Amino acid sequence: MTFGTWQKAFCLENIPQRYILGFMGFLGVANAYIMRACLSIAIVRMVKPVTHDETLSSDSSVCPYVEEHLSTNTTITSTGGYDWDESTQGMILSAFYYGYIVTHIPGGLLAQRYGGKHTMGLGIFSTALFTLLTPWIAPMGAVPLIILRVLMGLGEGTTFPALSTLLAQWAPPLERCKLGSLVFAGVQIGTVLASAISGFILAYLPWPAVFYIWGGVGMAWFVLWCLLCYNDPSSHPFISQKEKEYLSKTIGATERDKDVGGTPWLAILKSPAVWSLTIAEVGHDWGLYTMVTDLPKYMNDVMHFKISQNGVLSALPYLVMWLVSILLGYVADKIQQRELVGITNLRKILATIGAFGPAVGVVLASYAGCDKTLVAVLFTVGMGFMGFCYASLRVNSLDLSPNFAGTIMAIVNGSGSVSGMVAPLLVGQLTPNKSLLEWRVVFWIMFGILNGTNVLFIMFGSGEVQPWNEPKKEKEETTLNQM
């Protein structure tokens, strides 16, 4: 059966291909985040048991252990056996980002030159492969596992630059928020599945099952991606003429421009709009990575939830964030269509809500003490506001330069990876005793970084196409004016 026959058999030729690409991109991002984040909850079972000192029960900064968590010798039950302290765990969890940051710019350049399909596909394929290898490498020690996580990051670093390049070819301006929010909402769904389902897997199966299951899912996605998605409308063999004409009219072309005059590096690096977006993304990612990487540890080490409860409650904030991001993508497009607010002000308003809401939520959660219900509600509501960022920061690189969206996303998202490198290490250093007071400091730091970086985006951010978007055309116009 040929690809065309296979696609027609499932009636996929009747669905607008930009939505198929958007949905597959969403699943790809979700898979990437699942494979990245599942270690954060699995590590709770991989490490040696934690000994509970009964003398700490009177310490107001330490939440009491519920009876079901204690054995007769006051040791918390665990199936893990690796002797990794908090600092070592922080290094393992942050190692991914040391590889992740390296391949962003090469990934963006490859996607611009050769298209985003294979740049993204092979990146996630390699991530799936390394996920499957994790249970084989972990018994060798922390250092081999750190190396594996660095390699995993190298593969996944191409994902967001490649996706931005694809969206520039497939997302019409008035559908940009909707499609962009759909694709990048895979971050939340991936985190939800990594936490919730991994928690249930760990409750009934040995921890290696987490990596075998999610690695296998990643491999299955890669096969579907190769069958269904293409670099641009012109190269797509099954796109309808109606959709191709619509995309040509709204985007300006249906074929990726392979010669736009070279990447205007100096102009990009001198752009206040790019720098303010980059700094805002670093702040956003600090908050996101702190929660993605360490919320399961907080729920286990501080609040003492059971592993199955931990997975669900760690996932709930990202489920709400996903719902908010999808809704806001639709609303933002409607606001733009009706010209109720200028595009620059719209991006800034949404980014501000997406920074302030989570910052307040996590700080309030740290002052809720050991009230498990209130803590879960505050984390969920606070992080839900972060969904506002997906119709602002996440699509802003497409606003600034459709032609170089992959390169800009590489710079922006790659710089944000610094947060993923530093945040888990800092949390490990700041929380040696796993107390509420120590974690409160972590959340106040998150508050300051989220809001401080957003101020710069308010001051210098933009939603307009920058003049250096078409360097070849700009050069030709300059030559004509000099004649």
Side-chain angles (χ1 to χ4, degrees):
M1 181 181 287
T2 64
F3 290 171
T5 305
W6 183 87
Q7 196 167 26
K8 289 179 180 178
F10 288 92
C11 301
L12 297 180
E13 80 277 9
N14 297 323
I15 303 174
Q17 298 302 313
R18 64 188 183 277
Y19 297 146
I20 291 178
L21 179 110
F23 182 66
M24 287 302 298
F26 159 76
L27 293 179
V29 172
N31 270 297
Y33 264 76
I34 288 170
M35 292 184 289
R36 176 194 309 190
C38 63
L39 178 63
S40 298
I41 192 165
I43 202 169
V44 172
R45 280 293 177 88
M46 294 167 68
V47 298
K48 280 187 175 181
V50 179
T51 301
H52 170 55
D53 184 354
E54 293 289 351
T55 62
L56 292 175
S57 59
S58 60
D59 186 346
S60 61
S61 70
V62 177
C63 289
Y65 288 82
V66 294
E67 184 177 349
E68 63 192 6
H69 281 171
L70 298 176
S71 65
T72 55
N73 62 357
T74 71
T75 299
I76 307 303
T77 59
S78 173
T79 59
Y82 300 124
D83 188 15
W84 300 334
D85 60 18
E86 290 298 310
S87 178
T88 301
Q89 292 177 51
M91 287 189 288
I92 292 170
L93 292 173
S94 68
F96 172 92
Y97 300 98
Y98 286 86
Y100 189 63
I101 194 173
V102 171
T103 50
H104 268 69
I105 289 179
L109 295 174
L110 285 171
Q112 281 175 196
R113 183 163 183 82
Y114 301 108
K117 174 180 177 176
H118 294 302
T119 306
M120 177 179 173
L122 292 174
I124 293 186
F125 173 83
S126 67
T127 305
L129 177 63
F130 291 128
T131 300
L132 291 169
L133 290 174
T134 299
W136 297 82
I137 299 299
M140 299 179 186
V143 173
L145 182 57
I146 287 171
I147 294 172
L148 180 74
R149 295 287 292 182
V150 171
L151 293 174
M152 183 184 295
L154 286 171
E156 196 175 312
T158 62
T159 301
F160 281 100
L163 266 177
S164 293
T165 300
L166 287 167
L167 286 172
Q169 304 302 319
W170 284 95
L174 295 182
E175 294 182 22
R176 190 167 288 163
C177 286
K178 179 169 60 179
L179 283 172
S181 295
L182 169 64
V183 169
F184 295 121
V187 172
Q188 295 96 50
I189 291 300
T191 307
V192 167
L193 295 176
S195 297
I197 297 182
S198 295
F200 283 111
I201 293 171
L202 290 166
Y204 299 103
L205 296 172
W207 64 261
V210 170
F211 300 97
Y212 292 139
I213 290 170
W214 292 131
V217 171
M219 290 292 187
W221 173 90
F222 174 73
V223 173
L224 290 175
W225 176 258
C226 292
L227 291 171
L228 295 175
C229 298
Y230 294 82
N231 284 323
D232 52 48
S234 287
S235 64
H236 201 302
F238 314 117
I239 189 172
S240 68
Q241 188 61 32
K242 179 180 178 181
E243 183 179 11
K244 186 181 289 188
E245 290 174 355
Y246 170 69
L247 294 176
S248 177
K249 180 180 178 181
T250 54
I251 298 177
T254 59
E255 184 176 6
R256 181 171 49 87
D257 190 349
K258 302 178 181 65
D259 182 17
V260 292
T263 304
W265 285 108
L266 185 59
I268 290 174
L269 295 176
K270 289 171 59 179
S271 171
V274 172
W275 276 107
S276 62
L277 173 60
T278 301
I279 293 170
E281 185 69 27
V282 169
H284 166 79
D285 284 355
W286 183 280
L288 183 64
Y289 292 148
T290 296
M291 301 305 290
V292 167
T293 305
D294 291 298
L295 184 57
K297 287 170 61 60
Y298 182 83
M299 293 300 201
N300 180 79
D301 297 344
V302 178
M303 302 306 298
H304 309 310
F305 283 104
K306 293 189 298 183
I307 189 71
S308 57
Q309 292 176 323
N310 188 349
V312 172
L313 292 173
S314 296
L316 192 58
Y318 307 103
L319 179 61
V320 175
M321 193 191 308
W322 171 67
L323 294 172
V324 170
S325 67
I326 294 297
L327 175 63
L328 259 295
Y330 176 81
V331 171
D333 281 336
K334 288 297 182 184
I335 291 173
Q336 192 177 347
Q337 288 172 12
R338 298 180 183 181
E339 300 181 346
L340 300 177
V341 179
I343 185 65
T344 295
N345 287 332
L346 177 63
R347 298 290 188 248
K348 291 180 179 180
I349 290 169
L350 296 179
T352 299
I353 298 172
F356 187 72
V360 172
V362 298
V363 167
L364 290 179
S366 74
Y367 283 95
C370 300
D371 187 332
K372 293 186 176 183
T373 301
L374 183 57
V375 167
V377 168
L378 288 170
F379 275 133
T380 299
V381 174
M383 293 303 292
F385 280 107
M386 196 170 275
F388 281 70
C389 292
Y390 289 81
S392 53
L393 299 181
R394 284 297 187 186
V395 297
N396 193 225
S397 60
L398 300 175
D399 297 327
L400 300 179
S401 177
N403 284 332
F404 301 105
T407 296
I408 296 173
M409 177 58 82
I411 295 171
V412 171
N413 207 59
S415 299
S417 302
V418 174
S419 296
M421 295 160 58
V422 177
L425 291 174
L426 184 64
V427 171
Q429 293 295 323
L430 291 176
T431 60
N433 301 308
K434 309 180 181 70
S435 73
L436 279 171
L437 294 180
E438 292 171 341
W439 275 92
R440 189 172 294 159
V441 174
V442 170
F443 293 135
W444 270 114
I445 291 172
M446 177 176 163
F447 180 97
I449 291 175
L450 276 170
N451 289 294
T453 55
N454 184 66
V455 169
L456 293 174
F457 186 70
I458 293 173
M459 294 173 61
F460 301 109
S462 175
E464 306 294 337
V465 176
Q466 300 299 293
W468 38 263
N469 179 56
E470 298 185 70
K472 183 178 179 181
K473 181 178 178 181
E474 186 178 15
K475 184 177 180 180
E476 290 173 349
E477 290 176 350
T478 302
T479 302
L480 288 174
N481 291 334
Q482 292 174 348
M483 292 177 64

